[in-house]
Amino acid sequence: MRIDVVSLFPDFIDQAAAVGVVGRARERGLLTMQGWNPRDYAEGNYRRVDDRPFGGGPGMVMLIEPLRAALAAARAADPAPVRVIYMSPQGRPLTQAKVRELAALPRLLLLCGRYEGVDERFLQAEIDEELSIGDYVLSGGELAAAVVVDAVARLQDGALGDAESAVQDSFEGDGLLDCPHYTRPVEHDMGRVPDVLLSGNHAEIAKWRRQQSLVRTLERRPDLIDETALGKADRRLLAAWRAEQGG
Ligand SMILES: NC(=O)c1ccc(NCc2ccccc2)nc1
């Protein structure tokens, strides 16, 4: 997959995507990235990329022309069709389902706004989707773009050593929160590892983990789960848990 990033700070993303799973995916050629800086396409002595907002108000707005030239250069760099995404608090929430959809595309282009944002005419003319990583405002879209890069990169075939772990992460295979994880030592002053995980009984371990995911999701993120839509096995696991809790 190819990801182009249009940003006034293209190195920022490059560094954020240089380590770990994403860095390894790039080393393996599973993911290629290129940054494009609108300032390189800005005209005049001051190479302006922003200007004051019509109608007054605080801050600055990114100018159309440098963005348009940077986007055109990025598009021309590869023949594959490209999905142009603008990262902003006004975008649709990024979910794992959306990540899976994006991860299957040949190319992405992530546009990172700074200041108060981008001239609306550019967005209307050039952007395919506007996405938000959460309901908060950052100083620039670069961190949001780095989140998309990471989430998409780890889903590239071969990016994760044990493909299984990609599936078991929360929000992936089944839309539930992840179960708790434990490692050595078995005994610790902070507590003991649950016996079922030491039993070697993989069917019981899988059941316990599913039960933990269900309970955690109901307790922490009831918005993610519709109990009436649960299968018989999941309903049984919840009933057993509630019985154990004397609920
Ligand atoms: N929640 C997000 O995904 C997000 C994305 C970008 C951003 N800051 C840059 C910006 C500010 C205002 C308008 C457009 C872009 N902050 C948060």
Side-chain angles (χ1 to χ4, degrees):
M1 166 176 240
R2 176 183 173 119
I3 302 182
D4 292 284
V5 180
V6 173
S7 162
L8 292 171
F9 304 97
D11 295 347
F12 181 100
I13 307 271
D14 203 52
Q15 287 163 22
V19 299
V21 169
V22 186
R24 207 168 54 229
R26 294 174 72 187
E27 282 162 20
R28 293 175 177 171
L30 304 175
L31 171 72
T32 59
M33 291 178 66
Q34 182 161 349
W36 305 82
N37 189 338
R39 196 172 298 280
D40 296 340
Y41 302 88
E43 316 239 314
N45 302 347
Y46 301 97
R47 301 206 298 165
R48 292 202 71 125
V49 292
D50 64 323
D51 210 330
R52 295 171 49 236
F54 281 118
M60 305 290 269
V61 176
M62 292 183 80
L63 290 161
I64 294 174
E65 280 309 316
L67 287 172
R68 178 199 218 161
L71 183 54
R75 283 186 189 277
D78 188 298
V82 56
R83 175 84 64 89
V84 182
I85 296 174
Y86 178 51
M87 303 309 300
S88 103
Q90 286 72 43
R92 286 175 52 193
L94 180 70
T95 63
Q96 193 63 25
K98 174 58 75 173
V99 167
R100 277 196 292 271
E101 177 199 326
L102 298 180
L105 298 174
R107 276 189 82 184
L108 286 184
L109 187 143
L110 304 177
L111 172 63
C112 305
R114 283 263 152 180
Y115 315 113
E116 301 309 306
V118 170
D119 189 301
E120 186 65 18
R121 290 166 292 182
F122 179 80
L123 300 179
Q124 294 303 322
E126 296 279 3
I127 302 305
D128 296 315
E129 287 192 63
E130 197 161 338
L131 293 180
S132 168
I133 61 167
D135 292 332
Y136 38 80
V137 180
L138 303 167
S139 50
E142 286 77 9
L143 278 170
V147 164
V148 173
V149 169
D150 188 287
V152 159
R154 57 194 303 285
L155 295 189
Q156 297 302 303
D157 288 342
L160 293 176
D162 169 4
E164 178 81 15
S165 62
V167 173
Q168 278 180 346
D169 276 2
S170 51
F171 293 102
E172 290 193 352
D174 54 17
L176 297 178
L177 299 186
D178 207 1
C179 60
H181 301 286
Y182 298 84
T183 186
R184 294 179 304 117
V186 170
E187 293 285 354
H188 187 278
D189 61 68
M190 291 181 179
R192 177 183 163 79
V193 174
D195 287 330
V196 63
L197 297 179
L198 309 172
S199 68
N201 180 332
H202 295 290
E204 281 304 308
I205 291 169
K207 270 177 60 182
W208 181 85
R209 285 175 167 164
R210 178 74 184 184
Q211 183 180 54
Q212 290 294 313
S213 287
L214 286 162
V215 168
R216 277 180 149 199
T217 307
L218 276 176
E219 285 175 347
R220 301 181 188 190
R221 290 294 306 276
D223 59 298
L224 291 177
I225 206 166
D226 167 6
E227 254 194 273
T228 64
L230 288 176
K232 190 188 298 283
D234 284 342
R235 284 203 301 276
R236 283 214 187 103
L237 287 173
L238 280 177
W241 170 265
R242 286 173 171 141
E244 272 171 47
Q245 305 303 307

